[in-house]
Structure formats: structure tokens, C-alpha cells
Amino acid sequence: MRLTLTFLTLVLASFESAYALPRAYQRPSRRSSVDVLDDVLVFDAPAFDDPANPENTLVQLQGYVATREISIQSLLSGISTLLNQTLGLDISQDLATATSRLALFGTIPLSGKTITANVNGCGNAVTLPPLTALSSTDSRNINFTMFPSSADGFGVISDIDDTVKVSHTLDKLQLAQATLIDTPVPVTGMPDVYASLSKSLESPQFIYVSASPFQLYPFLRDFIDTTYSASSGPIMLNNLTTTSLSSIIDFAQDNGIEAYKSAMIDRIQGMYPGKKFLTVGDSTQKDPETYGEAIRKYGDFIACAWIRKVDGANNTDERFAEAFAGVSPSKYKLYTDDEIPGLANIDVAGGSCS
Ligand SMILES: *[C@@H]1O[C@H](CO)[C@@H](O)[C@H](O)[C@H]1NC(C)=O
Ligand SMILES: *[C@@H]1O[C@H](CO)[C@@H](O)[C@H](O)[C@H]1NC(C)=O
Ligand SMILES: *[C@@H]1O[C@H](CO)[C@@H](O)[C@H](O)[C@H]1NC(C)=O
Ligand SMILES: *[C@@H]1O[C@H](CO)[C@@H](O)[C@H](O)[C@H]1NC(C)=O
């Protein structure tokens, strides 16, 4: 098996509107390589058989290049004031945690950068040392993990906020607190359910798709890697291209979430057209609508959709009927928290969904 790296051009965010953020975004005049002073984050990546040439393995790499943060302090004081004024939340006792969670918001993204990735050990797709060298003069190693998975078998597409992690998406104050301050906690029982799926579906490719901004990647990755270690996988996050201080805490209210998640499912389908996916989400945002649409569009590519009914969300019959219109009731399951332990007993591999 040969490994080919594609998509080496880094995907970069531009902060078009830098309202209330400390610094402006810098646009280089043309493509340039990464400077030794730039910070580079390369996201964990799925690796998959090239549908056009199955003996090749493709990896889609995405990264973020920014100049190193200069003044996280002014960002912090801005957000502290905003949180205090709009939500009555006082983060002054938790500045260290908030500082680390907000760190990437305090960097200046650079567009048009390219890196060269040298992957050692191309002969073995499973134990690739995850190292990249930036350029001939910059030998920093950037760690990221590749998740190779076969073209067939199962996968799991999972939402994060309020599906696997308690985020209080419906309550801005609690959401801000859970995102900036609290130690993240899993939705009770879900780590066991995913560990069990990891066995029953024979090491499915787990892919976490969240509408959270990519600036929260280090925080979310750490959570998934530790709390969901039996079901770790790449995390796809939203591209927050314009931001203001308030958008940092308003991301969960964005109306573009359904379109974004549908686009990520399209992308996953392009990588793994021969797999079957279990999709797991919740009723706070648009997961029922997104997954219903994916089943109508892709049929058996989506084996099954599970939706957690979150208290306070729109859990009416009419909503789910509309979201899953035209979808067989045998293809989806709505579950309450007391049903979570039972999810592990569902024979998804054998074609059951509930
Ligand atoms: C993210 O936004 C930047 C700037 O608008 C754009 O160039 C890039 O293609 C976007 N990436 C994705 C994955 O949508
Ligand atoms: C938050 O606002 C209150 C008044 O509304 C003020 O007493 C308090 O000191 C402020 N806290 C911070 C951290 O700004
Ligand atoms: C990258 O991984 C190597 C080997 O596991 C480790 O020695 C190194 O400290 C890591 N670097 C970073 C920046 O995490
Ligand atoms: C719940 O969703 C349905 C279907 O979209 C909608 O008609 C209804 O107004 C919603 N109810 C509430 C309370 O938002």
C-alpha cells in the first residue's frame, strides 16, 4: 500500500471582520512557505483508499497557520467584560483555563501558506509516524495522528456538543462556562456505548463532526483522546472565518450549522463511498434534519441515525416527522438519557437501528 498525501495546501481562516479583536488579519500578497516564527496546527486526519485507485491511500490534511499570539491579555479582558455584561459570568477566578481555551482566538491567521509534508514509513499505512517537516530550513516536527480505515465496513459520524460532551448548547451562560472554564464531562454512558461500538462494528472509523469553531480544536481533541480513547478519530470543526468577541460564544446559535454538517457528510461520503455509517447526534441543533437529509440523499450509506432527545430542545413528534420525512422508522432511533446504556445492545452490524 502506498501513501499519497493530498490537499497539502493548508486551509486557512481569514478574519474578515476583526471587530473588538486585538489585531487585524494579515494577507500575504502571494503564496509563501511557513515562516519559522509562524505557529502551525495540523489537524488529525482520516486516511482512506483512493476510490479511483484503491492501492493508494489518501490523506486529507488540514492545518492552520498563524503568527504567534502577541497579546492574549487584551482578548481576555475583552471577553471577560463581554461575558460579564451579557451573561453575568465572571471568569476572573478561572483565567488560566480560559486563557488556554481561547489561545487560538488570539492568533492572527495567515492565508496562502503552503507546507511540505514528509511522511516517514510510507510502506506501512497503519503505523505511520505522524511527522511533518515544514520546509528545508525549518525542521520542526508537527505532531498529528492519521486514522487509516478500509474502504468497507462501518464508520460512526458523531456530533460532539450535547451528544458525547455535556455543553448546555441551549443555554448561553452554561455553554460559555462549559466551553471556557469547566473540565469537560461526557454525556453519561456514552464513552461505554462508543467503546462497545468500537468492538461490535470491528474498529469503525469514528469521525467527530462539530459546529464548534476550529479554534477549540486542542480542547476538544484532548477531551476525545482521553474520555473517548476507545473511539478516537479525526475531528472536523467549523471554519469560523469572521469573528467578533460575541461569535466566540454564539457559535452554537449559528443558522449555517445544517449546511456545514451536510457538507462534511458529503466530504466523508467522498472518502468512504463503500462504508456504512451510524450517525449520532442530538435534538439541540439540526442533527435530526441533517441526518434525515443524508439518509434521503445517500440511502444505505447511512445505516442508521441515533438522536439524543435533550431536555428543553424541540422534541415534538412533528419536528422528527418532518426531519425524517420519507425515511423508514427502522433507520433511526430517538433516545432519552435512561436509554443510553441500552444503545450498546443494538445490533447495528446486523442491520438493526433500535
Ligand atoms: C475556511 O475559510 C477560508 C477563508 O475564507 C477558506 O479559504 C477555506 O477554504 C475555508 N475552509 C473550509 C474547509 O471551508
Ligand atoms: C462584573 O460586573 C459587576 C457589576 O455588574 C462587577 O461588580 C464585577 O466586578 C464585574 N466582574 C468583572 C470580572 O469584571
Ligand atoms: C511529538 O511526538 C514525539 C514522539 O511521540 C514527541 O517526542 C514530541 O514531544 C512530540 N512533540 C510535540 C510538540 O508534541
Ligand atoms: C418544533 O419543530 C416543528 C417542526 O419544525 C415546528 O413546527 C414547531 O413550531 C417547533 N416547536 C417549537 C416549540 O419550537
Side-chain angles (χ1 to χ4, degrees):
M1 197 184 277
R2 226 159 52 75
L3 183 101
T4 312
L5 290 168
T6 58
F7 291 81
L8 283 186
T9 306
L10 293 188
V11 177
L12 302 164
S14 61
F15 288 0
E16 282 147 26
S17 143
Y19 166 72
L21 283 173
R23 293 168 303 284
Y25 146 74
Q26 291 173 349
R27 186 183 293 275
S29 52
R30 59 196 171 83
R31 282 193 182 286
S32 56
S33 55
V34 171
D35 188 270
V36 284
L37 293 177
D38 297 339
D39 269 342
V40 179
L41 175 66
V42 177
F43 301 100
D44 289 348
F48 53 97
D49 292 357
D50 180 356
N53 191 357
E55 78 242 29
N56 284 350
T57 298
L58 299 182
V59 180
Q60 285 192 358
L61 283 183
Q62 294 198 317
Y64 173 70
V65 181
T67 58
R68 289 191 188 161
E69 109 210 8
I70 304 157
S71 167
I72 189 76
Q73 288 317 319
S74 58
L75 174 68
L76 261 186
S77 87
I79 196 125
S80 301
T81 306
L82 182 84
L83 289 172
N84 196 359
Q85 287 170 358
T86 60
L87 302 176
L89 177 64
D90 181 358
I91 62 170
S92 59
Q93 301 307 306
D94 307 283
L95 281 183
T97 308
T99 303
S100 88
R101 305 243 177 113
L102 286 167
L104 281 181
F105 289 100
T107 59
I108 306 171
L110 301 170
S111 74
K113 293 279 186 178
T114 58
I115 61 163
T116 308
N118 299 317
V119 178
N120 298 328
C122 277
N124 188 335
V126 182
T127 56
L128 287 171
L131 301 176
T132 67
L134 295 172
S135 71
S136 53
T137 53
D138 183 349
S139 59
R140 271 182 291 171
N141 284 330
I142 308 293
N143 285 356
F144 65 96
T145 304
M146 286 184 205
F147 292 94
S149 183
S150 65
D152 52 9
F154 277 91
V156 177
I157 293 172
S158 176
D159 175 56
I160 296 179
D161 292 309
D162 291 322
T163 295
V164 300
K165 169 180 162 294
V166 176
S167 301
H168 304 290
T169 304
L170 297 173
D171 182 311
K172 273 193 186 194
L173 170 59
Q174 291 188 65
L175 174 65
Q177 185 151 343
T179 305
L180 298 178
I181 298 172
D182 293 346
T183 300
V185 284
V187 170
T188 305
M190 287 308 280
D192 291 341
V193 171
Y194 279 21
S196 153
L197 284 170
S198 183
K199 288 193 186 124
S200 63
L201 299 181
E202 299 180 345
S203 303
Q205 173 75 75
F206 281 87
I207 302 180
Y208 295 88
V209 176
S210 163
S212 292
F214 69 85
Q215 286 91 340
L216 294 176
Y217 179 82
F219 166 57
L220 294 175
R221 180 185 186 231
D222 189 50
F223 171 71
I224 297 291
D225 275 3
T226 53
T227 311
Y228 287 87
S229 56
S231 57
S232 62
I235 303 173
M236 296 181 176
L237 296 178
N238 212 345
N239 194 359
L240 187 64
T241 52
T242 62
T243 193
S244 61
L245 284 183
S246 58
S247 74
I248 295 175
I249 50 172
D250 278 346
F251 66 86
Q253 270 72 42
D254 184 354
N255 290 324
I257 289 178
E258 188 176 351
Y260 157 76
K261 286 204 168 182
S262 293
M264 292 306 105
I265 291 175
D266 291 347
R267 200 176 136 203
I268 293 167
Q269 200 275 338
M271 296 179 198
Y272 300 105
K275 270 195 194 300
K276 283 175 187 264
F277 277 85
L278 164 67
T279 57
V280 189
D282 65 80
S283 62
T284 59
Q285 296 172 324
K286 296 287 185 187
D287 291 339
E289 289 76 10
T290 308
Y291 296 163
E293 182 57 32
I295 295 173
R296 285 188 294 272
K297 186 170 177 183
Y298 290 122
D300 286 342
F301 171 69
I302 308 292
C304 174
W306 289 349
I307 299 291
R308 176 186 180 219
K309 291 204 265 185
V310 176
D311 285 347
N314 186 341
N315 293 325
T316 58
D317 290 348
E318 61 173 333
R319 178 194 180 182
F320 296 124
E322 213 170 87
F324 290 105
V327 172
S328 162
S330 68
K331 293 272 286 186
Y332 65 94
K333 175 177 178 63
L334 312 171
Y335 61 91
T336 51
D337 286 358
D338 53 351
E339 294 175 272
I340 287 177
L343 293 175
N345 302 327
I346 298 173
D347 183 16
V348 178
S352 303
C353 194
S354 58

